Amino acid sequence: MTSTPSISFAKFAAPKKGSAMVLVADGGVMSDAAKALDTAGAFSRAFTASDFSGRSGGTVEILAPEGSPLDRVVALGVGNPGEIDDYSWLKLGGSIGAQLRKAVEVAVIAELAERPLEAGEVARLAAGLLLRCYTFEKYKSRKDDADDKPANTRPAKVTIHCADPAAAKKAFADLQAVVDGVTLARDLVNEPANVLGPVEFAASAKGLEKLGVTVEILTEKEMKKLGMGALLGVSQGSARPPRLVVMRWNGGKAKDNPIAFIGKGVVFDTGGVSIKTAAGMEEMKGDMGGAAAVTGLMHALAARKAKVNAVGILGCVENMVDGNSQRPGDIVTSMSGQTIEVLNTDAEGRLVLADALWYCNERFQPKFMVNLATLTGAVMVALGKSYAGLFSNNDELAERLTNAGLTTQEKLWRLPLGAEYDKLIDSKNADMKNIGGRHGGAITAAQFLKRFVKDTPWAHIDIAGTAIGSLSNEINQSWASGFGVRLLDQFVRDHYES
Ligand code: BES
Ligand code: MN
Ligand code: ZN
């Protein structure tokens, strides 16, 4: 059962029943279509009574307006119409989503006083609305329990009234691809680890074949043959075998080297023998947030037929405690040939990514590699939960990612790399160790990854603080935000489509 609203687009017409949503600019300025719904001056009285001036983010609800067939009109403030950017439209759509409540029929009047909304703006409203209304309810067998947010068993039917419904529909199809990618990523992260193991994760990625993505799944045996001792060492304590997923979307020119995205897919992280404390360990079902974002991104690129060649690689393993688990002090040999002394089995994400990055680079000679990972608690100590950590060996790549972060409000903050940090992971007994000591933990983790990318332009995005246990905002109310999908889709749109 889903309560996902359905959305359609129509020409302006006065709604005759249900709820209507209208946009109000600074100073209480409304479009003619909105004013026409105000049959007996109820709006201006309500605005005054609730001190509403149309500032961005404000809302007023007018119930059963006098002389009107409508049950409810919600006025949404948009502030200064000259200052509404792409993300503001998405947020406004989110606010509309929040105002649906139990409404069944909803008309959104997509018009400002000066002009009707453009098709792209209308599409953003719709996308924001859907992102906001996402819920993860598949394991709630009782829909009517005490929880004060009962699922709406009759999903809202939202009609967006606009100047050019056909153009809006077309613009929305493109954004729907991205919304579906975010939804897929959120679903994967929210799914518990008993249901979603490495094999199941890979099977879910295989589902992208219906969009024209080529999906290969490497088994344990194949990874052994490739010499992926770092990834396999993490996996060896789990009863469930690992998988390496290779997704390819070829929407660009045949001769163009691909761009590549690599995700940490630890379906559950107990810490291994260096076991984590009990409190909050359940959150480690989300330790595949990087792999989920890469899967969601590949979905988005394929569904909107992006003109780019892109590779997505997922290292899917489970980090468990067992008689066969790897021990602190074990030395493993990575696919690169470099040896690693595993001093803490809880620093496992970097071990998985070491082999995934090396494999990607060797096989595809990508233009660049961007990896996403819920890699360290330390990145949250540094940046909190509002920014993901960005590390890169390439200033242009870092700047492009940072800018896509500003556009999408999936924000990145660059942290340093350097020789002084790199030497902290030198080991007495092997080429390197997998931890760097007490300080700068997010940085030493990044330095570790850097040893597996040669000179290929590369960026690492540490999403431990942003992908799971996410802050709620206008377009996300879920524990799993799907962080990275909108960011990387924007980054690809801005620079890599031919
Ligand atoms: N998956 C964790 C990082 C993490 C912590 C993600 C909290 C999301 C929320 C990672 O595998 C880990 O355990 N990192 C250790 C590294 C340490 C042992 C060097 C950490 O951050 O404590
Ligand atoms: Mn760990
Ligand atoms: Zn982990």
Side-chain angles (χ1 to χ4, degrees):
M1 176 96 55
T2 160
S3 55
T4 307
S6 68
I7 296 193
S8 59
F9 305 93
K11 276 259 182 213
F12 290 109
K16 295 274 181 287
K17 57 176 175 164
S19 301
M21 312 258 173
V22 301
L23 309 182
V24 183
D26 274 340
V29 179
M30 277 189 291
S31 69
D32 290 341
K35 279 189 220 157
L37 300 179
D38 190 3
T39 39
F43 291 16
S44 50
R45 289 176 65 195
F47 294 178
T48 309
S50 56
D51 216 4
F52 171 79
S53 63
R55 93 179 148 72
S56 176
T59 55
V60 178
E61 186 175 31
I62 304 139
L63 297 174
E66 198 183 331
S68 163
L70 297 174
D71 300 332
R72 191 168 71 116
V73 176
V74 181
L76 297 121
V78 300
N80 177 351
E83 287 174 5
I84 314 175
D85 61 11
D86 280 2
Y87 186 68
S88 304
W89 289 115
L90 217 57
K91 269 200 317 200
L92 196 61
S95 305
I96 294 171
Q99 293 294 330
L100 294 181
R101 311 256 173 80
K102 289 181 184 171
V104 176
E105 246 173 90
V106 179
V108 176
I109 311 299
E111 191 173 40
L112 297 167
E114 302 77 14
R115 60 176 181 88
L117 270 56
E118 289 160 19
E121 297 168 337
V122 175
R124 290 192 166 273
L125 280 189
L129 188 158
L130 289 177
L131 289 169
R132 170 65 180 241
C133 290
Y134 171 89
T135 53
F136 183 72
E137 292 178 338
K138 69 188 273 203
Y139 297 104
K140 292 234 178 214
S141 67
R142 283 177 295 122
K143 298 292 176 192
D144 56 350
D145 61 15
D147 190 350
D148 68 343
K149 286 185 278 180
N152 192 343
T153 48
R154 282 193 298 169
K157 285 197 335 222
V158 179
T159 307
I160 306 188
H161 294 235
C162 54
D164 188 344
K169 195 174 167 188
K170 187 152 170 269
F172 179 59
D174 185 76
L175 282 185
Q176 174 98 58
V178 182
V179 170
D180 289 347
V182 174
T183 301
L184 174 60
R186 288 178 183 174
D187 277 345
L188 287 165
V189 173
N190 279 321
E191 194 70 50
N194 61 326
V195 176
L196 194 80
V199 170
E200 293 77 14
F201 198 121
S204 160
K206 190 94 178 155
L208 297 192
E209 282 184 335
K210 68 175 185 298
L211 298 173
V213 178
T214 310
V215 183
E216 280 169 72
I217 300 175
L218 277 62
T219 61
E220 185 166 17
K221 200 168 138 198
E222 291 163 305
M223 285 188 265
K224 264 194 189 126
K225 225 166 122 193
L226 288 163
M228 294 188 172
L231 182 152
L232 292 169
V234 175
S235 171
Q236 74 188 32
S238 173
R240 301 190 286 182
R243 290 290 185 262
L244 190 89
V245 180
V246 181
M247 298 175 277
R248 275 176 296 163
W249 167 249
N250 291 321
K253 301 192 183 90
K255 63 168 176 31
D256 278 358
N257 286 24
I259 59 177
F261 302 93
I262 299 95
K264 169 179 173 181
V266 175
V267 298
F268 196 83
D269 181 13
T270 64
V273 170
S274 314
I275 196 167
K276 290 183 179 296
T277 48
M281 201 201 279
E282 69 279 3
E283 301 232 316
M284 287 299 105
K285 73 173 184 177
D287 208 18
M288 26 55 74
V294 170
T295 310
L297 172 69
M298 295 302 287
H299 178 107
L301 295 179
R304 68 176 182 79
K305 300 203 165 23
K307 291 192 173 60
V308 67
N309 297 334
V311 170
I313 301 218
L314 318 175
C316 300
V317 304
E318 183 174 44
N319 189 21
M320 293 293 272
V321 195
D322 177 78
N324 194 42
S325 287
Q326 89 179 328
R327 294 147 290 260
D330 282 4
I331 295 177
V332 296
T333 303
S334 66
M335 184 183 171
S336 73
Q338 300 176 94
T339 57
I340 304 161
E341 187 177 22
V342 179
L343 291 184
N344 189 317
T345 64
D346 196 11
E348 86 296 341
R350 63 199 76 181
L351 297 169
V352 173
L353 288 171
D355 281 335
L357 285 164
W358 189 269
Y359 175 83
C360 179
N361 209 11
E362 293 301 293
R363 176 163 172 198
F364 295 107
Q365 287 92 47
K367 284 203 185 86
F368 61 76
M369 300 194 283
V370 174
N371 75 259
L372 291 101
T374 48
L375 203 65
T376 67
V379 80
M380 282 185 269
V381 176
L383 298 176
K385 297 182 82 68
S386 305
Y387 280 77
L390 170 66
F391 303 84
S392 183
N393 62 2
N394 184 288
D395 292 342
E396 182 184 63
L397 183 59
E399 193 182 324
R400 289 177 171 187
L401 287 164
T402 302
N403 287 337
L406 292 173
T407 306
T408 57
Q409 288 295 293
E410 293 194 327
K411 292 181 291 192
L412 306 179
W413 197 262
R414 192 173 180 184
L415 293 166
L417 293 167
E420 24 339 12
Y421 297 111
D422 181 70
K423 71 169 193 270
L424 299 177
I425 54 169
D426 286 339
S427 156
K428 267 203 315 270
N429 301 312
D431 295 335
M432 69 194 88
K433 53 189 180 184
N434 75 330
I435 51 172
R438 242 167 67 74
H439 298 135
I443 302 174
T444 47
Q447 290 292 163
F448 184 96
L449 300 180
K450 186 174 178 291
R451 291 191 181 202
F452 297 87
V453 303
K454 294 188 175 166
D455 290 328
T456 302
W458 153 82
H460 154 53
I461 303 178
D462 194 333
I463 58 174
T466 52
I468 64 176
S470 318
L471 300 175
S472 291
N473 62 29
E474 287 88 347
I475 60 166
N476 178 51
Q477 300 284 307
S478 166
W479 176 79
S481 62
F483 187 99
V485 177
R486 289 190 308 108
L487 168 78
L488 295 176
D489 176 75
Q490 187 71 47
F491 164 74
V492 173
R493 279 174 198 269
D494 288 347
H495 301 288
Y496 302 103
E497 295 192 49
S498 51

